[in-house]
């Protein structure tokens, strides 16, 4: 029905369009009129209500805000007239979003329209459901829509709309449907006679397959039969013929469905699909030769089906003749200079063809290499991107040099919107097919100089890792970066790379007159004012490395002056580094400086982060692309093979390497002869030990072979103290500040192991003898009073731990040191499981091999979730000299580790807190126990302060041997719980009375035995 008032209003708006003020005036006048009419809605007819809603919709589409009229639209949906219901649905679809509160008012109306027997009402309801959305709305409608799809009596038009509506809901909220439950009904409908319905069901099936293809594997036969019916039997009506091609959209979808599955093993189905593909490919060639005047629409319909058929041939990769025919067609496509769409599809399909093994696929691709190079310079950026993808796919060891060279040449003229992708692909190809890594370093520095703004941190991190792990290219790399940083136009990324490489390997070129230490420092520092604070932080690391590496007074004076200038820098990171490095350079002993500034160790072999990030970006699509998955799997397999080869090479080098002339002394010079061992002086531990890797120190004196003495407290090599002498490139274990800068975790590579006193098994493993059982129990007690110690030690392996805690979170670094002089430890595995739900542990994997006199490390992150009484289980397994060890130990993580000190200045404050703290029972229970040795009150106080992190007050009563402690226990599950303890000592009777007061009885019961054990063990050990 024509609405005259609406037509006149639209005409008025068009006439007023020349002036914004005139249009606004006309809109305001009409809004006021409509608002007045709606206030008397009882007098409005359905026609008037529909007319005014249409006017509001027109104003809404012009960009004006509509804040009324929604209820009138809702009322129209309830009408029995199709024209009024249509306008109501249209208004709700446009005016209501998925979070609108009025959606609940139309839910019942939509449900009633869905189950009605009027197909037009059902179609309107399905359209509204698909367009409005909203999770609650979708959950309320999904089952009804699914029933309409599967109902045998549903009309074709309704089934098509319901299938597409269900697809929309599944894509947005996949959790509201269970596709596995409707496999059979959907596949039964897929074999229907109405190609329109089958087309919509194929779209729905593709949506299901994008999440999980396994449940619908039986659809392969259905799809092949439908294709055979269309292509071979020609059983279709003219209604579905588009420019001479029968049901092209259905064919395309069926071919895409088949690409999710391998070629069928059933002989009949296999012959059918082969015949279908053969006929499509041969027919397209015949049509091309006979029909020279095809219209663009006919070309598009024929080529779209042909491309999907070729994609299926490439996916199957079985028939040699078909593959060769497909390759020839794609070669013709990419040389077509008239049809850009055809060239785009040809380049995309040929990049997949490059992965095939059947036929002469790669030879066909290589024949068009020059054409692909020309496509890089095409005016259409989409063609340029597809050409880049194809070159990336077809690159191998034969043509890698030519392709990378062409890409580097193109990089100088490439558009900005393709440069980042181009840089990533050049970096991946140069690493993947590098015959020698020196060429790879040359390529990376080339792309940094040409397109430094587009070089991501992943590329920078990767070149640093490769140079660090390959000693034969370190001199070449140092020379290259020094020349690069001398240029006045050196990019900041080049300065980063130069800062790292010269700081680690600058000594290779320091003896040449033009690249001496002072020249290196001047070249780097000339760029200091022009780079970001992150790069300045890296340069600060380089300067302190120079200070330690070269005995050059002028250089050292300049480095100290630079640190002095940056002590008050506005950036806190630079200020902190300058202050700490100045302290290192001025006040700390030389052996400590060497330890802190040890060269970076080799990085752990792992997949390239550049490749991983590129695959992740490709995977982020609405419907999963089967080709992206296949390419990612191939790349991952190739990357894993390369990593295995590098590990194998490193193991062979480690096995073939001669032992050092003077081996590191694991026992720090302790006398192992029959006489008593002289106590080793405990070295000074610097606060920076946790930030930097250890460096070479003076050689330790030789020790005779004898039973190992007690090593309690000798963790200096693994936990930050002096290390034995080593070659300049000897890797170190503890994490350094450079790891944080370069974004890589501290590697699990081998590092020199000196003496380490490790301690700590509590649950006796079966593999230990009685002497070891007694020793590990003692060491576990010592770990209650300390955050570093030994977990396990035998003749071959030392396992040490260093703990740190902040609130409910903790971090442990576990060190595995090989004590032997000539045998590697292999098959090393370590896992840690927490009992119950009190604490949670997440640990990374440990390197499976430890070379002689070396060590690796494992990092664990811990979280306290609730009170727990048992220590986590740590499972260890390794093999050395043909002996396999496998046992479990208790990891020294106890509930007391999550206590934070609560400082109280006076005893009055403490006793006020004691009286105000409620507990059950009240007063709290005390425990009295005897000690095996005279009580050392000072040692007990020190242990509770360091191990239990309590704030201790002494002299709170007349007995000076009594003391109290206060803190608060912190977890994720509940607010901080105060912890107060009272320790009363009777020195003459060698007895202690311990009282723990806390609002949580469970916490008191968990802490009391730990405190008792710690105090008793401390007294016994001090005896």
């Amino acid at each position: 029905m024509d609405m005259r008032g609406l037509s006149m209003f639209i005409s008025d708006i068009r006439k007023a369009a020349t002036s914004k003020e005139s249009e606004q005036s006309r809109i305001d006048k009409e809004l006021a009129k409509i608002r007045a009419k709606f206030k008397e809605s009882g007098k409005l007819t359905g026609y008037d209500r529909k007319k005014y809603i249409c006017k509001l919709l027109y104003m809404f589409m012009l960009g004006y805000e509509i804040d009324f009229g929604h209820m009138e639209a809702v009322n129209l949906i309830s009408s029995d007239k199709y024209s009024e219901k249509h306008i109501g649905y249209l208004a709700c679809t446009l005016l209501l979003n998925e979070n609108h509160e009025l959606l609940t008012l139309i839910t019942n109306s939509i449900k009633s329209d869905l189950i009605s027997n009027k197909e037009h009402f059902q179609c309107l309801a399905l359209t509204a459901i698909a367009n409005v959305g909203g999770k609650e709305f979708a959950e309320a409608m999904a089952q009804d829509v699914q029933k309409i799809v599967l109902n045998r009596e549903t009309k074709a038009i309704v089934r098509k709309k319901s299938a597409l509506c269900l697809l929309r809901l599944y894509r947005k909220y996949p959790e509201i449907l269970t596709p596995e439950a409707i496999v059979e009904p959907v596949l039964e409908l897929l074999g229907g006679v109405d190609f329109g319905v089958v087309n919509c069901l194929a779209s729905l099936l593709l949506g299901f397959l994008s999440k999980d293809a396994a449940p619908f594997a039986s659809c392969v036969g259905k799809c092949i039969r439908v294709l055979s019916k269309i292509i071979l039997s020609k059983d279709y009506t003219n209604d579905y013929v588009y420019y001479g091609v029968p049901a092209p959209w259905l064919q395309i979808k069926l071919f895409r469905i088949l690409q999710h599955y391998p070629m069928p093993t059933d002989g009949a189905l296999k012959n059918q699909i082969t015949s279908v593909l053969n006929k499509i490919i041969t027919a397209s060639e015949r049509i091309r030769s006979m029909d020279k005047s095809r219209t663009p629409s006919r070309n598009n319909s024929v080529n779209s089906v042909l491309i999907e058929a070729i994609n299926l041939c490439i996916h199957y990769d079985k028939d040699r003749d078909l593959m060769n025919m497909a390759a020839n067609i794609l070669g013709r496509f990419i040389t077509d200079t008239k049809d850009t769409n055809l060239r785009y599809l040809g380049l995309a399909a040929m990049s997949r063809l490059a992965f095939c093994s059947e036929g002469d696929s790669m030879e066909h691709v290589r024949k068009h290499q020059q054409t692909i190079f020309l496509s890089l310079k095409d005016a259409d950026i989409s063609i340029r991107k597809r050409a880049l993808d194809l070159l990336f796919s077809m690159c191998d060891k034969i043509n890698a040099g030519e392709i990378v060279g062409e890409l580097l040449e193109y990089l100088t003229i490439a558009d900005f919107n393709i440069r980042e992708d181009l840089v990533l692909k050049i970096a991946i190809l140069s690493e993947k097919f590098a015959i020698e890594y020196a060429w790879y370093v040359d390529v990376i520095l080339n792309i940094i100089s040409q397109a430094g703004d587009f070089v991501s941190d992943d590329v920078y991190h990767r070149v640093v890792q490769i140079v660090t792990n390959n000693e034969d290219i370190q001199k070449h790399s140092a020379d290259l970066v020094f020349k690069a940083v001398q240029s006045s136009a050196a990019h900041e990324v080049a300065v980063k790379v130069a800062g790292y490489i010269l700081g680690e390997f600058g000594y290779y070129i320091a003896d040449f007159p033009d690249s001496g230490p002072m020249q290196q420092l001047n070249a780097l520092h000339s760029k200091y004012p022009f780079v970001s604070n992150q790069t300045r932080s890296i340069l600060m690391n380089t300067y302190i490395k120079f200070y330690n590496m070269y005995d050059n007074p002028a250089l050292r004076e300049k480095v100290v002056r630079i640190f002095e200038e940056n002590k008050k820098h506005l950036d806190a990171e630079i200020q902190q580094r300058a202050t700490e490095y100045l302290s290192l350079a001025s006040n700390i002993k030389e052996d400590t400086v060497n330890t802190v500034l040890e060269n970076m160790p080799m990085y752990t072999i792992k997949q390239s982060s550049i490749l991983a990030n590129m695959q992740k970006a490709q995977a982020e699509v609405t419907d999963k692309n089967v080709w992206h998955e296949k390419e990612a799997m191939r790349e991952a397999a190739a990357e894993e093979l390369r990593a295995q080869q590098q590990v194998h090479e490193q193991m062979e080098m480690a096995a073939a390497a001669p032992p050092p002339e003077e081996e590191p002394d694991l026992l720090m010079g302790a006398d192992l002869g029959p006489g008593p061992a002289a106590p080793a002086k405990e070295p000074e531990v610097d606060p920076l030990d946790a930030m930097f890797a250890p460096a070479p120190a003076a050689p330790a004196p030789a020790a005779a072979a004898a039973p190992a003495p007690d090593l309690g407290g000798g963790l200096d090599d693994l936990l930050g103290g002096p290390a034995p002498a080593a070659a300049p490139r000897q890797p170190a274990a503890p994490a350094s500040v450079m790891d944080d800068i370069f974004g890589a975790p501290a590697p699990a590579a081998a590092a020199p192991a000196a003496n380490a006193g490790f301690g700590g098994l509590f649950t006796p493993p079966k593999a230990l003898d009685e002497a070891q059982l007694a020793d590990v129990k003692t060491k576990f007690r010592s770990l209650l009073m300390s955050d570093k110690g030994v977990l396990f030690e035998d003749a071959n392996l030392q396992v040490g731990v260093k703990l740190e805690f902040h609130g409910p979170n903790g971090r442990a670094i576990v060190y595995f040191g090989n004590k032997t002089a000539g045998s590697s430890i292999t098959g090393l595995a370590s896992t840690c499981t927490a009992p119950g739900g009190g604490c949670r542990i997440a640990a990374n994997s440990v390197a499976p091999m430890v070379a002689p006199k070396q060590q690796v490390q494992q990092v664990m992150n811990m979280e306290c979730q609730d009170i727990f009484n048992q220590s986590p289980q740590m499972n260890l397994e390794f093999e050395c000299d043909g002996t396999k060890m496998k046992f479990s130990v208790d990891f020294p993580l106890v509930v007391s580790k999550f206590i934070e000190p609560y400082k109280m200045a006076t005893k009055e404050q403490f006793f006020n807190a004691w009286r105000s703290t409620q507990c059950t029972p009240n007063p709290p229970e005390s425990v009295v126990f005897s000690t095996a040795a005279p009580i050392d009150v000072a040692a007990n106080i020190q242990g509770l302060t360091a191990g239990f992190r309590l704030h201790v007050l002494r002299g709170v009563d007349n007995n000076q041997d009594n003391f109290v402690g206060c803190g608060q226990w912190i977890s994720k599950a509940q607010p901080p719980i105060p912890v107060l303890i009272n320790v009363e000592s009777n020195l003459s009777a060698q007895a202690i009375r311990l009282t723990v007061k806390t609002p949580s009885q469970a916490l008191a019961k968990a802490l009391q035995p730990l405190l008792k054990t710690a105090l008793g063990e401390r007294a016994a050990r001090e005896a």
Side-chain angles (χ1 to χ4, degrees):
M1 180 185 293
D2 182 32
M3 290 182 281
R4 186 166 176 271
L6 175 63
S7 301
M8 292 180 62
F9 172 67
I10 294 175
S11 177
D12 291 345
I13 292 296
R14 288 176 176 173
K15 290 177 182 178
T18 55
S19 170
K20 178 65 177 175
E21 292 76 13
S22 300
E23 180 181 299
Q24 182 70 54
S25 175
R26 183 67 182 90
I27 291 290
D28 292 341
K29 180 180 177 181
E30 193 65 32
L31 285 174
K33 176 184 174 182
I34 296 173
R35 195 184 300 270
K37 292 290 185 181
F38 282 169
K39 287 181 179 179
E40 301 175 354
S41 58
K43 299 179 181 181
L44 287 177
T45 64
Y47 169 81
D48 291 332
R49 183 177 284 109
K50 180 176 63 173
K51 178 179 64 175
Y52 293 137
I53 290 295
C54 286
K55 288 183 179 181
L56 290 177
L57 290 179
Y58 183 70
M59 288 184 274
F60 177 76
M61 289 187 290
L62 288 178
Y64 291 94
E65 184 178 355
I66 304 301
D67 57 359
F68 69 97
H70 301 80
M71 283 302 301
E72 303 301 326
V74 172
N75 291 335
L76 282 177
I77 291 179
S78 304
S79 174
D80 291 331
K81 294 182 179 180
Y82 174 78
S83 60
E84 295 177 6
K85 188 181 289 287
H86 186 192
I87 297 300
Y89 273 116
L90 178 61
C92 288
T93 301
L94 289 175
L95 300 178
L96 304 184
N97 58 45
E98 61 183 33
N99 300 316
H100 203 285
E101 58 187 9
L102 289 181
L103 279 182
T104 56
L105 297 180
I106 64 173
T107 300
N108 290 333
S109 297
I110 293 179
K111 274 183 171 289
S112 63
D113 287 339
L114 278 178
I115 62 177
S116 70
N117 55 3
K118 297 179 180 180
E119 59 187 65
H120 299 300
F121 288 4
Q122 289 179 301
C123 291
L124 289 175
L126 290 168
T127 303
I129 293 170
N131 287 328
V132 174
K135 187 168 185 180
E136 293 181 1
F137 189 69
E139 288 175 345
M141 301 297 177
Q143 294 305 316
D144 292 326
V145 176
Q146 181 176 304
K147 288 177 182 178
I148 294 175
V149 175
L150 305 180
N151 191 342
R152 293 178 178 275
E153 299 180 359
T154 302
K155 300 290 182 63
I157 181 65
V158 180
R159 196 186 304 278
K160 287 190 287 185
K161 281 187 173 290
S162 60
L164 296 179
C165 178
L166 195 64
L167 173 61
R168 162 74 171 164
L169 296 179
Y170 182 71
R171 280 177 171 169
K172 193 166 186 181
Y173 308 107
E175 67 275 6
I176 68 175
L177 291 174
T178 308
E180 295 83 357
I182 58 173
V183 172
E184 292 302 326
V186 170
L187 295 186
E188 184 180 349
L189 293 171
L190 197 62
V193 295
D194 190 323
F195 283 175
V197 174
V198 176
N199 188 26
C200 293
L201 289 169
S203 298
L204 177 61
L205 188 56
L206 276 172
F208 289 158
L209 297 183
S210 68
K211 306 298 181 184
D212 185 10
F216 292 90
S218 55
C219 74
V220 173
K222 292 276 186 181
C223 294
I224 293 176
R225 292 187 188 97
V226 175
L227 284 169
S228 178
K229 182 179 179 180
I230 298 172
I231 304 299
L232 302 179
S233 304
K234 298 184 179 180
D235 184 6
Y236 51 82
T237 64
N238 289 333
D239 295 336
Y240 295 100
V241 177
Y242 179 78
Y243 285 94
V245 180
W249 289 276
L250 177 57
Q251 290 189 57
I252 290 170
K253 290 173 185 176
L254 293 176
F255 281 131
R256 288 182 177 177
I257 290 172
L258 292 176
Q259 289 170 34
H260 284 82
Y261 302 99
M263 179 174 275
T265 56
D266 181 83
L269 291 177
K270 184 177 180 180
N271 291 335
Q272 271 187 315
I273 191 60
T274 303
S275 301
V276 167
L277 293 172
N278 189 65
K279 185 163 185 178
I280 289 176
I281 293 175
T282 54
S284 68
E285 289 292 283
R286 187 174 65 255
I287 292 172
R288 184 182 68 87
S289 60
M290 294 174 59
D291 188 359
K292 300 294 185 180
S293 59
R294 291 186 297 173
T295 63
S297 297
R298 177 160 172 75
N299 279 335
N300 291 339
S301 60
V302 171
N303 292 331
S304 60
V305 174
L306 177 60
I307 282 290
E308 289 304 329
I310 290 174
N311 283 340
L312 185 59
C313 290
I314 296 172
H315 172 71
Y316 284 158
D317 194 12
K318 296 291 184 182
D319 192 303
R320 184 183 184 89
D321 294 333
L322 279 178
M323 294 296 294
N324 290 334
M325 291 171 62
N328 289 328
I329 292 174
L330 294 178
R332 191 184 75 244
F333 280 4
I334 67 173
T335 56
D336 191 323
T337 57
K338 296 181 180 179
D339 193 338
T340 302
N341 292 334
L342 202 58
R343 289 166 58 206
Y344 179 93
L345 294 172
L347 290 169
M350 192 170 279
S351 66
R352 299 161 187 162
L353 182 69
F355 286 110
C356 293
S357 57
E358 193 63 43
D360 303 319
S361 304
M362 185 54 75
E363 292 301 321
H364 283 289
V365 175
R366 286 202 191 101
K367 284 193 302 186
H368 301 285
Q369 185 167 300
Q370 293 304 318
T371 303
I372 301 168
F373 284 155
L374 290 175
S375 298
L376 274 178
K377 302 174 177 65
D378 193 271
D380 191 325
I381 188 171
S382 62
I383 297 294
R384 298 200 296 270
K385 287 184 176 180
R386 293 289 74 79
L388 178 60
D389 290 341
L390 176 52
L391 289 172
F392 181 75
S393 301
M394 65 183 285
C395 188
D396 57 19
K397 291 185 178 180
I398 298 174
N399 57 13
E402 185 178 0
I403 289 178
V404 171
E406 184 69 28
L407 294 179
L408 284 172
E409 183 179 343
Y410 173 63
L411 182 60
T412 59
I413 60 173
D415 292 340
F416 285 168
N417 49 11
I418 198 177
R419 280 197 175 191
E420 185 173 0
D421 194 29
L422 183 59
V423 165
L424 286 177
K425 285 182 166 59
I426 294 174
I428 292 172
L429 293 178
S430 58
E431 178 189 352
K432 187 176 179 181
F433 300 109
I435 300 175
E436 55 183 20
Y437 278 122
W439 175 71
Y440 166 75
V441 175
D442 293 344
V443 170
I444 296 300
L445 290 177
N446 194 337
I447 63 177
I448 289 174
S449 64
Q450 293 187 39
D453 290 338
F454 301 90
V455 177
S456 67
D457 284 344
D458 291 327
V459 176
Y460 158 55
H461 295 161
R462 195 63 174 171
V463 70
V464 161
Q465 292 174 10
I466 287 176
V467 172
T468 303
N469 287 10
N470 295 272
E471 189 173 351
D472 55 333
I473 65 170
Q474 289 165 2
K475 180 179 179 180
H476 174 72
S477 302
D479 186 47
L480 278 181
V481 298
F482 176 68
K483 291 176 181 177
V485 83
Q486 283 182 305
S487 169
S488 59
H491 194 273
E492 182 171 343
V493 179
V495 178
K496 279 186 184 180
V497 177
Y500 177 89
I501 293 179
L502 292 179
E504 296 294 321
F505 316 113
Y507 56 83
Y508 279 114
I509 61 173
D511 294 335
F512 298 104
D514 295 335
S515 57
M518 203 64 188
Q519 286 87 341
Q520 294 180 32
L521 176 62
N522 291 334
L524 288 173
H525 197 59
S526 65
K527 305 297 184 292
Y528 188 86
F530 310 108
V531 295
S532 66
N533 286 337
Q534 182 192 28
T535 305
R536 290 177 182 177
S537 298
I538 298 174
L539 292 180
M540 297 289 279
N541 295 343
T542 306
Y543 299 159
I544 191 63
K545 292 267 186 176
F546 282 169
Y547 182 94
N548 183 56
M549 190 184 303
Y550 306 117
D551 188 10
N552 185 321
L555 180 144
R556 291 190 170 186
E557 181 182 351
K558 184 171 183 178
V559 168
V560 170
R561 190 165 61 251
I562 292 171
F563 292 155
E564 289 281 3
E565 293 171 355
N566 287 275
K567 280 177 63 177
K568 296 183 180 180
H569 197 280
L570 291 177
D571 185 79
E573 177 71 20
I574 296 177
Q575 182 184 123
Q576 181 178 353
R577 291 181 190 234
T579 303
E580 292 174 351
Y581 294 163
L582 186 61
S583 178
L584 277 175
S586 306
N587 304 322
I588 300 181
K589 295 183 294 185
E590 184 176 352
D591 58 346
T592 306
V593 175
N594 290 337
T595 301
V596 170
L597 300 176
E598 171 65 273
N599 287 57
M600 288 291 292
M602 289 186 178
Y603 288 86
T604 306
I605 302 297
K606 59 182 181 180
Q607 182 187 13
S608 169
S609 59
I610 311 173
L611 185 61
N613 290 340
M614 188 175 70
Q615 292 170 355
K616 181 180 178 182
Q618 290 177 341
E620 293 175 351
V621 291
T622 303
D623 284 341
K624 217 183 314 182
N625 189 318
V626 66
W627 293 103
H628 287 164
E629 292 181 346
K630 293 176 68 175
E631 291 172 14
M633 291 171 61
R634 290 189 179 101
E635 291 296 337
E639 188 73 24
E640 183 178 358
L641 179 61
R642 288 194 296 273
Q644 291 175 354
Q645 291 173 346
Q646 291 185 36
V647 171
H648 181 68
E649 292 172 1
Q650 290 180 7
M651 292 175 65
E652 287 184 341
M653 291 173 61
E661 296 181 4
E662 188 159 357
E663 298 174 354
D665 181 13
L666 283 171
L667 303 179
M668 297 184 65
D671 185 6
L672 300 183
K681 181 181 179 181
E682 184 168 335
E684 180 182 354
V685 179
D686 188 84
L688 295 175
D689 288 344
M691 298 173 58
F692 295 89
D710 180 19
L711 301 180
L715 278 169
D716 304 307
D717 62 320
L718 298 181
L719 304 180
R729 280 298 307 129
Q730 192 71 10
S736 78
V737 85
M738 297 292 282
D739 296 330
D740 297 331
I741 296 172
F742 294 135
N755 175 27
F758 298 161
L761 304 180
F762 191 70
T763 302
K766 295 180 181 179
L768 303 183
D769 56 33
E770 292 183 1
Q772 287 176 312
L773 294 179
D775 182 56
V776 297
K777 186 173 181 180
T778 300
K779 290 176 178 177
F780 180 84
R781 288 177 177 173
S782 70
L783 285 169
L784 296 181
M785 311 292 275
S786 175
D787 283 339
K788 62 180 180 180
V790 178
L791 281 172
F792 171 78
E793 180 178 9
D794 64 4
N796 302 318
L797 179 70
Q798 288 179 325
V799 184
V801 64
K802 186 175 183 180
L803 303 163
E804 55 186 35
F805 297 91
H806 182 72
N809 301 311
R811 183 171 180 263
I813 302 178
V814 184
Y815 301 89
F816 302 85
N818 186 345
K819 296 172 59 178
T820 64
S823 301
S824 293
I825 291 177
T826 59
L828 178 62
S830 167
T831 59
C832 199
T833 55
C839 63
R840 186 169 64 88
I841 295 181
N844 64 356
S845 57
V846 63
M849 187 190 78
V850 189
K853 301 295 183 182
Q854 304 293 307
Q855 72 179 33
V856 296
Q857 70 180 26
Q858 181 181 32
V859 178
M860 298 182 183
N861 292 314
M862 304 165 290
E863 180 182 87
C864 180
Q865 297 175 319
D866 208 343
I867 298 169
F868 59 96
N869 296 310
Q870 288 182 303
S871 298
Q873 279 283 304
M874 187 174 188
N875 305 308
L876 295 172
E877 183 177 355
F878 66 92
E879 181 176 356
C880 187
D881 290 332
T883 302
K884 293 183 178 180
M885 299 286 289
K886 185 175 182 180
F887 51 87
S888 298
V889 304
D890 279 356
F891 191 75
L893 177 65
V894 290
V895 70
S896 60
K897 296 293 184 182
F898 297 99
I899 294 177
E900 290 282 348
Y902 189 84
K903 294 186 178 181
M904 294 186 183
T906 64
K907 62 181 181 180
E908 288 77 13
Q909 288 181 321
F910 176 82
F911 286 119
N912 287 336
W914 182 276
R915 286 189 292 269
S916 62
T917 300
Q918 301 298 318
C919 67
T920 303
N922 197 358
E925 297 178 350
S926 299
V927 60
V928 178
F929 59 93
S930 299
T931 61
I935 299 171
D936 187 336
V937 176
N940 285 344
I941 291 175
Q942 194 278 333
L944 294 184
T945 302
F948 285 75
R949 307 171 75 196
L950 292 166
H951 176 66
V952 176
L953 288 173
R954 191 173 182 179
V956 294
D957 60 15
N958 295 330
N959 188 345
Q960 294 298 312
D961 298 325
N962 298 343
F963 59 89
V964 297
C966 43
Q968 53 183 357
W969 181 79
I970 301 177
S971 71
K972 287 281 187 180
Q974 48 192 308
I977 300 175
V979 176
L980 304 173
I981 70 165
N982 184 11
V983 180
E984 301 171 87
S985 304
N986 189 330
L987 303 187
S988 59
Q990 291 187 202
I992 292 176
R993 180 164 68 181
L994 172 67
T995 309
V996 180
K997 189 171 187 180
T998 177
S1000 171
Q1001 187 177 12
L1003 180 60
K1005 288 185 176 181
L1007 289 174
Q1008 193 177 73
L1010 295 173
L1011 289 163
K1012 176 184 172 183
T1013 303
L1015 293 171
E1017 170 59 19
R1018 169 63 67 177
R1021 187 154 60 89
E1022 291 299 325

